[in-house]
Amino acid sequence: MVTISYTNVLMGTDDRRNFLREGKYFHCVCARCEDPTELESHMSTLICNKCATNKQEGYILKIDPKTWKCSNCQHCLKTEQIENILEKVKEEVFHAQDDIRHLEYLLTKLTTLLHKNHYIIVDVKQNIANMLRTIIRNSLQRPGRQLYERKIRLCQELVVLLHIIQPGISRLKAIALYEMAIASAELYRLRFGEDEISAQELQEYLRKCEAMYRESMRLLLYEPPETPEGQLVKSIISELRDLRSDIQILDNPLPEHDDE
């Protein structure tokens, strides 16, 4: 079966349905929109404060247009209450959008209120990932490993989420894999330079990065060459060429010379 999305898949159900109703003039009843958990992605789910206080796991889900209910304790909230909570959260995110430290702090705070996959949290994570990309690219010296590790973790989380909400051909997944491959390769080279991993281990890790690049390119196979995604394919090919060169050097190391 071939399907296509008319909306940004990283939006929550209410926003997607509103967009489709206003722009495409229909009420969506796809499997994701009809499922309160959004195919177990929980992109609109809130954390139940009552359950959290009792050290239990409870998720607030929308069960009808007017009511949200906890999956565990059955505590109910009105849609107006949920909307007020989300508006306040969005305002906080807006004021923190240019400050990576503030965003990281806010992310920690929001995970006590929203599911880790909530669309607002995903948006914050994407903002952080984009800022990390800029920091890494513009750094005069090689960035520390913490930046690479954080970037990789954010990409991994997005890829896992996209496997649920957008299986198959996905531009977003391709871009996330590309970004993850770049950061991973640099991190492994850094660890090798600090004698944390052997040449053989580095080679194995770089082959994993090669697989990520290949999958990213496969997902962009049908993109027109003149589009940004089509141009990204050229970047992937260039990165792959450099990566394979490194792997080949590791596979055939230069012989050591005797100083005597």
Side-chain angles (χ1 to χ4, degrees):
M1 181 174 65
V2 178
T3 62
I4 188 169
S5 174
Y6 292 110
T7 67
N8 179 352
V9 296
L10 297 181
M11 294 193 300
T13 294
D14 284 349
D15 287 343
R16 291 195 320 278
R17 277 181 158 171
N18 288 339
F19 175 86
L20 292 171
R21 184 166 52 251
E22 294 174 6
K24 303 295 183 180
Y25 308 107
F26 71 90
H27 178 74
C28 186
V29 290
C30 72
R32 181 181 170 191
C33 284
E34 289 288 276
D35 181 3
T37 71
E38 299 192 40
L39 306 179
E40 299 297 326
S41 70
H42 291 283
M43 288 199 68
S44 298
T45 300
L46 283 74
I47 303 295
C48 178
N49 185 52
K50 287 195 172 187
C51 287
T53 301
N54 296 322
K55 297 183 179 180
Q56 296 178 345
E57 187 177 88
Y59 296 135
I60 303 289
L61 304 169
K62 188 173 186 178
I63 59 171
D64 62 50
K66 295 183 178 180
T67 311
W68 294 63
K69 181 186 289 187
C70 175
S71 58
N72 181 49
C73 72
Q74 308 305 309
H75 174 62
C76 290
L77 291 171
K78 294 180 179 179
T79 294
E80 291 80 4
Q81 292 174 285
I82 298 295
E83 290 175 348
N84 288 337
I85 291 171
L86 296 181
E87 280 304 313
K88 290 178 181 178
V89 169
K90 289 176 182 178
E91 186 175 352
E92 283 193 81
V93 172
F94 175 78
H95 289 297
Q97 61 184 348
D98 295 323
D99 186 336
I100 191 168
R101 291 185 179 180
H102 194 175
L103 284 173
E104 289 282 16
Y105 164 77
L106 190 57
L107 189 59
T108 302
K109 177 182 175 181
L110 292 182
T111 52
T112 64
L113 179 65
L114 309 175
H115 190 279
K116 65 178 182 178
N117 287 341
H118 193 281
Y119 70 89
I120 293 178
I121 284 185
V122 172
D123 184 57
V124 171
K125 288 179 178 179
Q126 282 197 294
N127 285 338
I128 293 172
N130 290 337
M131 294 172 79
L132 286 173
R133 183 202 306 126
T134 301
I135 292 170
I136 290 171
R137 285 181 177 177
N138 296 340
S139 180
L140 296 177
Q141 298 178 337
R142 174 172 281 183
R145 67 172 56 200
Q146 289 183 337
L147 292 183
Y148 288 122
E149 289 170 346
R150 182 61 174 141
K151 174 72 174 179
I152 293 166
R153 189 160 60 251
L154 290 169
C155 290
Q156 287 173 333
E157 291 171 357
L158 181 58
V159 168
V160 170
L161 178 61
L162 289 169
H163 276 311
I164 300 172
I165 62 173
Q166 197 174 39
I169 301 296
S170 166
R171 295 175 186 170
L172 288 172
K173 196 187 304 177
I175 294 169
L177 284 168
Y178 170 69
E179 297 272 352
M180 184 162 62
I182 290 178
S184 297
E186 287 303 309
L187 176 61
Y188 296 141
R189 291 183 181 114
L190 178 63
R191 292 179 62 192
F192 176 70
E194 295 179 353
D195 295 325
E196 282 194 15
I197 58 176
S198 66
Q200 182 179 354
E201 288 173 319
L202 175 60
Q203 188 182 52
E204 291 174 359
Y205 287 136
L206 292 182
R207 289 195 186 281
K208 292 180 180 179
C209 295
E210 181 182 12
M212 283 187 261
Y213 279 127
R214 286 180 174 277
E215 177 62 7
S216 177
M217 193 158 57
R218 184 188 72 82
L219 294 172
L220 296 173
L221 193 61
Y222 302 103
E223 298 295 331
E226 66 276 7
T227 64
E229 292 80 10
Q231 293 298 311
L232 181 58
V233 172
K234 295 181 181 179
S235 297
I236 295 172
I237 292 172
S238 176
E239 295 285 349
L240 263 175
R241 189 182 300 115
D242 293 340
L243 193 73
R244 287 169 181 161
S245 176
D246 287 350
I247 292 173
Q248 188 173 14
I249 291 171
L250 290 166
D251 206 24
N252 301 286
L254 294 173
E256 295 184 5
H257 295 285
D258 193 345
D259 293 334
E260 295 183 4

